[in-house]
Amino acid sequence: MRCRASGYRCPAKPWIHLMKSNAMKSSIGWAWLHRLGSPKAFYRISARLLPWLSVAACVLLGIGMVWGLAFAPPDYQQGNSFRIIYIHVPAAMLAQSCYVMLAVCGVVGLVWKIKLADIALHCAAPIGAWMTALALATGAIWGKPTWGAWWVWDARLTSMLILLFLYLGLIALGNAISNRDSAGKACAVLAIVGVVNIPIIKYSVEWWNTLHQGATFSLTEKPAMPAEMWLPLLFTVLGFYCFFGVVLLLRMRLEVLRRESRTQWARAEVQRSLGQTPMPSENTP
């Protein structure tokens, strides 16, 4: 750059170099996210995680279910009917966590345009819907002997029902829009807006006078149940999360292959999974 008065070359403004340097550092800093979020990288990494998650899910669920349903002592008030918490509580926790994950995927997909976030949102929504339905069903079974009714319009129950409707709305919205990009954006917006229901579910027992009991687990308070009751519950909660990871990875791997079916690597993976020798690329000499 030359000065107008003297004609000599003047040093560039330092703030221009600073802006370029910061932009370059920012692009380098987020490059790992795009590499990790590529469908091909996910497919390779998930293949390594699946065996470990599957074993962990089987072990944790096996220990937790057998311990909780067969060996945990009965509750002094509810008797053996309390044992349904070993299914109800993990399902309810997973249903809420799954929706938070959907909202995070929506933000990542809208801001960073990562295709894998849309795939995760699309594949996790049905799992979350099933977990919410399971939590509502087991809660109704638990509520009949405890409250004397299958259903009451309690704040916790009503907000969980709204969560189920949000899941079903996400699934219906994704299937109703034929354009994949438009469907992904619409589902991302709905997931982000609907996440406001999660704190309502969590704090409903504190904000309103409800029949539902408080939180079973707390990070700041000692569990009200004896160790022989809450330890198997902890195993089942961890097992449910591992099971969710297994099912989600399997669904995402299938969806990745479906969306990347025109790429050479996806065709090679399909042929390899079928026990066939991958065909060489047309560009390969």
Side-chain angles (χ1 to χ4, degrees):
M1 183 176 68
R2 296 182 179 275
C3 298
R4 294 182 179 179
S6 60
Y8 292 103
R9 184 175 297 275
C10 299
K13 295 181 180 180
W15 61 270
I16 297 179
H17 291 290
L18 182 61
M19 289 179 62
K20 291 181 178 179
S21 176
N22 291 337
M24 184 177 297
K25 290 180 180 179
S26 178
S27 61
I28 295 174
W30 289 108
W32 66 270
L33 182 61
H34 288 273
R35 287 197 300 268
L36 188 62
S38 67
K40 185 177 181 180
F42 163 78
Y43 198 87
R44 301 284 172 81
I45 296 173
S46 61
R48 301 174 184 176
L49 292 177
L50 270 173
W52 296 98
L53 280 177
S54 301
V55 172
C58 292
V59 171
L60 291 170
L61 286 175
I63 294 175
M65 289 297 183
V66 173
W67 188 356
L69 298 178
F71 297 103
D75 185 74
Y76 74 99
Q77 287 183 331
Q78 303 178 36
N80 287 319
S81 64
F82 95 99
R83 299 184 191 277
I84 203 169
I85 68 170
Y86 297 110
I87 300 176
H88 173 74
V89 172
M93 293 177 64
L94 184 55
Q96 299 172 64
S97 302
C98 180
Y99 199 90
V100 173
M101 191 203 80
L102 297 187
V104 173
C105 290
V107 173
V108 173
L110 290 176
V111 176
W112 289 284
K113 312 296 183 183
I114 295 179
K115 294 189 295 184
L116 198 63
D118 176 57
I119 294 175
L121 195 155
H122 173 78
C123 295
I127 308 174
W130 278 110
M131 288 296 110
T132 309
L134 180 61
L136 289 171
T138 52
I141 297 173
W142 190 9
K144 179 60 177 177
T146 305
W147 301 337
W150 295 100
W151 178 268
V152 292
W153 290 103
D154 182 86
R156 173 65 63 84
L157 274 66
T158 305
S159 54
M160 281 295 293
L161 183 62
I162 293 174
L163 181 64
L164 178 60
F165 290 155
L166 286 171
Y167 275 121
L168 297 178
L170 280 170
I171 298 171
L173 184 62
N175 294 328
I177 303 176
S178 57
N179 184 274
R180 184 181 299 166
D181 294 335
S182 300
K185 292 178 181 178
C187 291
V189 172
L190 179 57
I192 296 171
V193 173
V195 78
V196 71
N197 188 48
I198 300 301
I200 295 176
I201 295 174
K202 179 175 176 57
Y203 295 106
S204 58
V205 295
E206 300 177 10
W207 293 345
W208 295 284
N209 184 20
T210 66
L211 291 174
H212 200 283
Q213 68 181 53
T216 305
F217 284 116
S218 177
L219 298 177
T220 58
E221 299 179 3
K222 183 179 179 180
M225 297 185 298
E228 56 268 23
M229 287 185 177
W230 69 262
L231 277 177
L233 181 58
L234 179 61
F235 275 99
T236 55
V237 168
L238 296 176
F240 263 69
Y241 276 94
C242 291
F243 174 76
F244 168 76
V246 171
V247 178
L248 178 61
L249 289 181
L250 289 174
R251 287 178 56 85
M252 289 181 65
R253 284 168 63 85
L254 290 175
E255 184 65 18
V256 164
L257 291 180
R258 188 180 71 84
R259 296 193 183 191
E260 301 291 319
S261 58
R262 296 183 179 180
T263 61
Q264 179 65 27
W265 75 266
R267 291 197 295 266
E269 291 292 345
V270 172
Q271 293 172 354
R272 188 177 294 109
S273 63
L274 295 176
Q276 303 174 0
T277 303
M279 298 296 294
S281 175
E282 297 179 357
N283 299 327
T284 303

